[in-house]
Amino acid sequence: MHLVHPATLAVLLFCVGLYGVLARRNTVLVLMSVELMLAAVSLNLVAFDVWLADELHSGQVFTLFLIALAAAEIGIGLAIVLLVYRRRGTVALDRLRALRDGPGAVAPPDEVHDPDARPAATADAAARGQEATP
Amino acid sequence: MSAGALPALLAAEESGRGVLSPSGVEIVFLLVAVVVLGAAILCVTSRHLVHAALYLVVALGGLAVEYLLLTAEFIAWVQVLIYLGSVVVLLLFGLMLTRAPIGPSPDADSANRPVALVVSLAAAATLVTLVVDAFRTTWIDLDTPHGRSDALGESLFRAWVLPFEALSVLLLAALVGAIVISRARRDDSEEGRG
């Protein structure tokens, strides 16, 4: 088989994933596009491993590791997305601008909600990501 | 293409393998590649969020077929088991738990869609030119299978056993981390929104 075929397919799949990461608004859809990019890298690794006929099967073993890492990544990523959804009530990427700097910076709704109701230390902790545990 | 490409291509044609006379495996590979690319493009452009996840299933399943065509059978089945079996189900759970709408959602794409299109098209053009120019006279020998489960398992548990164990520890850490992150804390019910 011509090596150009799998290599070109991997490149195009990677670029489709790149478009998805840049253009999507929902965080779960961005994670799907990241999966597409990882799959493109896996295809590249397998194709080049079969081409070189490596005795240690480096490319295919690395693809196995990559699949396991993708599973771990999607687990952590979805946990973070669910936490963000519980805190902010949205998963739209352009509305999560609590850490934004510059002219477009706005206070996240959690802090403008009722700033006087809690003491300053708690509000400060809330601004840093609400890591304070009771 | 440089001047030296044509004789090399002609020599390849004479030796029975060429771009203009593809083998059966190459034709099947290209057809499945069209399916994979189409499903991937639909996955990143679909306005139905659940449909996007199902198009991802088609794309990753097609990739498993490509692995089979490249004689990497073990990778193909691992891909089916882990990607199609668990990752997509996790993504569907994520869509469900963030209350994704069932119908079409008009705000699935953000405002920087033209910029994303330009960036990805430029990257695709650059990389395709580079890859085609670099590997135009390179051929994969598929007559001897190079991904059988016994050979792969042997090298995995002989040469790669230390990275394998490190990866298992990493997976455990990731799992514990995901549980810790998604565990409902007490202040969630007071300050959270639902």
Side-chain angles (χ1 to χ4, degrees), chain B residues 50-148:
Chain B
V50 181
H51 288 192
L54 297 180
Y55 284 128
L56 187 67
V57 171
V58 177
L60 295 176
L63 264 183
V65 178
E66 307 281 43
Y67 291 154
L68 275 182
L69 291 175
L70 286 169
T71 69
E73 54 173 34
F74 185 63
I75 301 289
W77 297 122
V78 168
Q79 167 102 356
V80 169
L81 283 177
I82 295 189
Y83 264 117
L84 304 191
S86 68
V87 167
V88 175
V89 173
L90 265 181
L91 283 170
L92 282 173
F93 264 107
L95 282 177
M96 187 186 77
L97 289 175
T98 55
R99 304 216 172 88
I102 296 296
S105 56
D107 57 348
D109 290 331
S110 67
N112 49 15
R113 201 175 158 186
V115 181
L117 198 61
V118 168
V119 167
S120 59
L121 280 182
T126 311
L127 286 173
V128 166
T129 313
L130 178 74
V131 162
V132 169
D133 195 46
F135 300 115
R136 63 172 177 265
T137 55
T138 313
W139 305 87
I140 305 177
D141 179 25
L142 292 181
D143 293 334
T144 54
H146 187 72
R148 291 176 47 195

Side-chain angles (χ1 to χ4, degrees), chain B residues 174-186:
Chain B
L175 216 79
V176 173
I179 292 173
V180 167
I181 288 176
S182 60
R183 187 186 52 183
R185 293 185 210 153
R186 198 180 306 151

Side-chain angles (χ1 to χ4, degrees), chain A residues 93-108:
Chain A
L93 278 179
D94 48 1
R95 291 181 59 194
L96 301 173
R97 46 180 65 177
L99 296 179
R100 183 171 176 174
D101 195 11
V106 292

